[in-house]
Amino acid sequence: MSLHPTLQPYADAWTHSIEAISELLQPLAEAEWNRRTPCPGWSVRDVVSHVIGLDCEMLGDPRPIHTLPRDLFHVTNDHQRYMEMQVDVRRHHTAPEMTSELEYVIIRRNRQLRNESRDPGTKVRGPLGTELTLEESMRRHAFDVWVHEQDLRTALGRPGNLDSPGAHVARDVLLGELPRVVAEDAQAPRSSAVVFDVHGPVEFLRTIRVDIQGRGTLETAPALGPAATLTLDWETYVRLACGRVTPESVTDRVKSEGDPDLTAAILSNFTVTQ
């Protein structure tokens, strides 16, 4: 394989998640495709449509020409409108149409990855015409597909893969957002520290330090006398960060210590996906 070593973990994570999704879908009856998922406004079929659409865009396929209905309550901004296009265009597809399209896309993407020889820093097209590196594109894609695998598992009552390769990519993506959440969005006091203690299939202890200029940095060293400490399990961390649950609905799964106003502000700004 000619894939750059930096990109290999993201290809492996995508492969693991997409094969898990394919396996989850095989036994489903037609009615189960309409089950509601934790992803706002989306059914099982919609999430699978989104995953197919994401991979079609990684392949460079043209986007569908389609007009969205006006009554989609969960679509409130341009990013969501962009993402909804690939979903709405497949809303009336049957289960066999969905599974066969997914399988075909997987075959094409595997072929693309086998032949991928570009440098990780190569600029590629992202959503809404943005430009990002190939490495960031593949990293984000591995993250997205793993999160949607978890959406499907929740909807279908088939938990699993919370410690898979995709879960470790998700950990790094979500940790990368924490300094902004704490320092900018939650406005943590300058020269303070906030500790996150996460347990479960993926465990970590991380500190966000806010300097005198109000900038946040991610550290592995524990802080003495932090302004706040949040202790929660990995699954709850993911669901909060991806907007699948509200802080109010998981109060029994999140233990907070320290400044109550600060912990409330962090939790209310915890969602980092659009």
Side-chain angles (χ1 to χ4, degrees):
M1 184 181 278
S2 54
L3 195 63
H4 193 283
T6 307
L7 304 177
Q8 191 65 54
Y10 307 129
D12 292 344
W14 170 82
T15 299
H16 193 278
S17 293
I18 205 78
E19 288 178 355
I21 288 172
S22 180
E23 194 176 304
L24 282 170
L25 300 177
Q26 290 307 323
L28 294 191
E30 187 72 47
E32 290 178 291
W33 285 80
N34 298 321
R35 279 197 190 177
R36 186 178 176 182
T37 72
C39 203
W42 282 0
S43 65
V44 167
R45 176 183 281 98
D46 295 339
V47 169
V48 176
S49 295
H50 175 60
V51 169
I52 290 171
L54 288 174
D55 272 301
C56 286
E57 302 212 2
M58 295 294 281
L59 285 159
D61 291 355
R63 282 175 54 75
I65 298 170
H66 180 71
T67 303
L68 289 178
R70 294 173 179 269
D71 59 351
L72 298 173
F73 70 92
H74 58 282
V75 178
T76 59
N77 58 45
D78 287 342
H79 184 268
Q80 290 170 347
R81 271 186 283 279
Y82 182 94
M83 291 301 175
E84 195 72 22
M85 203 71 80
Q86 295 276 14
V87 173
D88 195 66
V89 80
R90 293 176 174 85
R91 278 223 157 89
H92 302 293
H93 287 198
T94 63
E97 286 173 328
M98 295 296 296
T99 52
S100 62
E101 186 179 12
L102 178 65
E103 292 307 312
Y104 182 51
V105 166
I106 292 172
I107 290 167
R108 292 176 63 213
R109 279 279 289 139
N110 277 324
R111 186 185 304 129
Q112 182 189 40
L113 289 170
R114 280 197 303 273
N115 297 323
E116 182 58 82
S117 57
R118 289 176 293 177
D119 184 83
T122 304
K123 294 291 186 181
V124 297
R125 188 176 184 277
L128 288 168
T130 54
E131 206 176 60
L132 66 169
T133 65
L134 177 61
E135 181 178 358
E136 180 60 20
S137 175
M138 287 184 63
R139 181 172 180 257
R140 279 275 158 189
H141 188 59
F143 166 71
D144 285 340
V145 175
W146 179 80
V147 170
H148 291 308
E149 177 200 339
Q150 293 304 314
D151 287 332
L152 294 172
R153 288 185 175 282
T154 301
L156 299 169
R158 296 274 305 279
N161 284 351
L162 281 165
D163 60 350
S164 67
H168 289 88
V169 172
R171 175 199 61 196
D172 294 342
V173 168
L174 295 175
L175 281 174
E177 301 287 348
L178 266 188
R180 176 181 58 80
V181 168
V182 172
E184 297 177 30
D185 300 341
Q187 292 283 294
R190 298 182 179 203
S191 302
S192 69
V194 176
V195 172
F196 293 84
D197 186 356
V198 175
H199 56 272
V202 174
E203 291 189 342
F204 53 87
L205 182 72
R206 294 291 187 275
T207 300
I208 302 299
R209 290 194 184 277
V210 183
D211 65 17
I212 195 68
Q213 279 84 34
R215 290 187 298 260
T217 53
L218 177 70
E219 298 182 4
T220 54
L224 296 174
T229 300
L230 288 164
T231 305
L232 65 163
D233 66 275
W234 167 236
E235 186 175 6
T236 302
Y237 184 100
V238 170
R239 289 184 175 187
L240 278 168
C242 297
R244 281 11 182 205
V245 292
T246 62
E248 295 75 27
S249 67
V250 290
T251 50
D252 59 325
R253 303 187 71 168
V254 180
K255 180 185 174 187
S256 59
E257 298 173 39
D259 183 343
D261 291 336
L262 178 56
T263 56
I266 290 169
L267 289 171
S268 67
N269 287 285
F270 210 68
T271 299
V272 294
T273 58
Q274 294 193 51

